[in-house]
Amino acid sequence: MKKILALVCSVLLISVLAACSGNDSASGNSGDEESDSNGESKVIKAGIGLNQDHPQYKGLLKFKEIVEEKTDGAITVDTYHSGQLGDDRSMMEALQLGTQEVVIPSTAPVANFVKEFSVFDIPFLFPNEEVADKVLAGETAQGLLTKLEDQNLVGLAYWENGFRDLTNSKRAVASMEDMEGLKIRTMENDLHLDAFKKLGANPTPMAFTELFTALQQGTVDGQENPYATIYLQKFYEVQNHVSNTHHIYSPFVFMMSKQFYDGLSEEQQTIVREAAVEAGEHERKLNREANAKYLEDLQEEGMTYTEITPEARQEMVDAVQPVIDDYKSKIGEDTVDAIYKEIEEAK
C-alpha cells in the first residue's frame, strides 16, 4: 500500500512540476516579447578631453538633455570630461571598437583616420568665424563627415574649438623672429608640425592630457589653443605670454560609434543627429562669448598679451605657403580647392 501511495505521489509531483515548467516558459516568452517591444535603455558614453567648465562640455550636457528628453529616457547619455576616457585618438579607437559611443575631437587627430580632414589644419585658412560657419555647413565639409563611416565612425556635426593662439613661458611673440627656437607643443598632426617648423619654432607633438605637466616641467616652452582652453586648463599658471596668432581655426567633430548608431531606430538616429546640431549651435555661442571674456581673464592672471600686426601675420602666411602647397596633394587637391572656393564665396 505504501508503495502504491508513493507511486501516486510521484506521478502527481511530476505533473505539477511539468505544469509549473510550462507556466514559466510561457511567462518567459511573454517577458521577452515585452522587453523587445519596450526595449532596454541604451547608454551613450560620451567623452571629451577638456574640463567641465569648457563650453564643449556644456554643449555635451545640452546634447544629453535633448536626447534624453526626446527619447523619453530610452537613450541616456553619460558624460566624461578632462580626458577621463583617454585622449582624442584613443577615444576614437574606442568608438571603432564599440566600447564608447561619442567623442568630439578637433580635426587634427581626425585626419589620422580620414586624411581630407587635414584641410581644416591649413594655417590661416579662415579669415573669421562667420566664414567658417558657412563653409562648415557647406557641401564639402558635410561630405567629409560621411567619409568617417568607412572608419566605423559616424560624423554628426561640427562644433567649435575656435581660433588657436600661441602661449609660451620665454618671451613675447610679435613676429616670426620671436618664435625662433621655441619648443611648442602641437597636436599629433604632420601639417601642424611642418607649419611650425617653417615659422621657426621647434614643434613637439604631445597628447593634450600630458600638456600641463610638460609646460610646468619645461619639457616644452609653449602651446597653442583657443583662449577658453588656455584659461580653463589654467595654463596661465605655467605660461607668461599670449599672442593672438590666430594661426588655425579649429573645428570639433561630433562623432558616434557606427556600431551603436546602426543599432538605433530611424527615429532615434534622427534625434541624435538633430541633437548634435542643436547642441553644437549652443556650444558655438557659448564658446565665442567665453573666448572674448577669457582673454581679459588671462591678462588679469598676469599673462602679457601681444597683438600680431597684419604685416607680421602676412609674413607668417607667406612662410607657411610652401607647406600648404606640399600638403595639397596629400590632403586631396579636389578637397582643398573646393574649400578655398567656398571660402571665397562665403566672404
Side-chain angles (χ1 to χ4, degrees), residues 53-222:
D53 295 320
H54 195 280
Q56 187 191 37
Y57 186 69
K58 294 175 182 177
L60 188 55
L61 292 179
K62 185 70 172 177
F63 174 79
K64 171 184 171 71
E65 174 190 320
I66 296 168
V67 169
E68 293 182 351
E69 179 181 342
K70 290 192 174 181
T71 63
D72 293 324
I75 301 177
T76 58
V77 183
D78 294 341
T79 60
Y80 299 84
H81 55 78
S82 306
Q84 290 171 305
L85 301 181
D87 60 27
D88 284 346
R89 180 159 186 160
S90 63
M91 285 191 281
M92 288 180 67
E93 291 169 348
L95 261 63
Q96 291 178 309
L97 295 171
T99 57
Q100 184 176 328
E101 288 69 47
V102 164
V103 66
I104 319 172
S106 292
T107 51
V110 179
N112 292 310
F113 297 80
V114 177
K115 66 176 184 177
E116 289 87 350
F117 274 93
S118 281
V119 70
F120 300 120
D121 294 298
I122 291 177
F124 308 104
L125 180 68
F126 292 116
N128 54 55
E129 293 158 339
E130 291 71 28
V131 169
D133 288 346
K134 292 177 182 178
V135 173
L136 291 172
E139 181 180 350
T140 304
Q142 292 299 309
L144 291 181
L145 292 179
T146 65
K147 287 181 175 289
L148 288 165
E149 294 192 16
D150 292 337
Q151 298 295 320
N152 210 28
L153 303 164
V154 179
L156 299 183
Y158 289 102
W159 288 19
E160 178 178 271
N161 193 358
F163 279 105
R164 305 179 76 87
D165 294 292
L166 183 70
T167 72
N168 80 95
S169 58
K170 297 294 186 182
R171 54 183 175 268
V173 172
S175 66
M176 276 182 56
E177 185 180 356
D178 298 324
M179 283 197 200
E180 190 67 36
L182 287 177
K183 292 181 292 184
I184 304 297
R185 176 267 175 183
T186 69
M187 288 184 281
E188 297 170 275
N189 179 283
D190 289 341
L191 179 50
H192 280 214
L193 293 169
D194 289 344
F196 268 98
K197 287 175 184 175
K198 284 293 184 183
L199 292 173
N202 179 14
T204 304
M206 183 183 299
F208 184 76
T209 49
E210 302 170 9
L211 179 53
F212 187 92
T213 301
L215 292 169
Q216 189 176 43
Q217 295 178 348
T219 305
V220 290
D221 301 319

Side-chain angles (χ1 to χ4, degrees), residues 37-38 42 44 63 66-75 156 256 260-276:
S37 174
N38 295 334
K42 294 181 171 66
I44 292 175
F63 174 79
I66 296 168
V67 169
E68 293 182 351
E69 179 181 342
K70 290 192 174 181
T71 63
D72 293 324
I75 301 177
L156 299 183
M256 180 172 281
F260 178 82
Y261 183 81
D262 289 346
L264 300 177
S265 68
E266 287 187 17
E267 181 184 7
Q268 289 172 335
Q269 289 178 350
T270 298
I271 288 171
V272 297
R273 278 190 175 276
E274 292 178 349

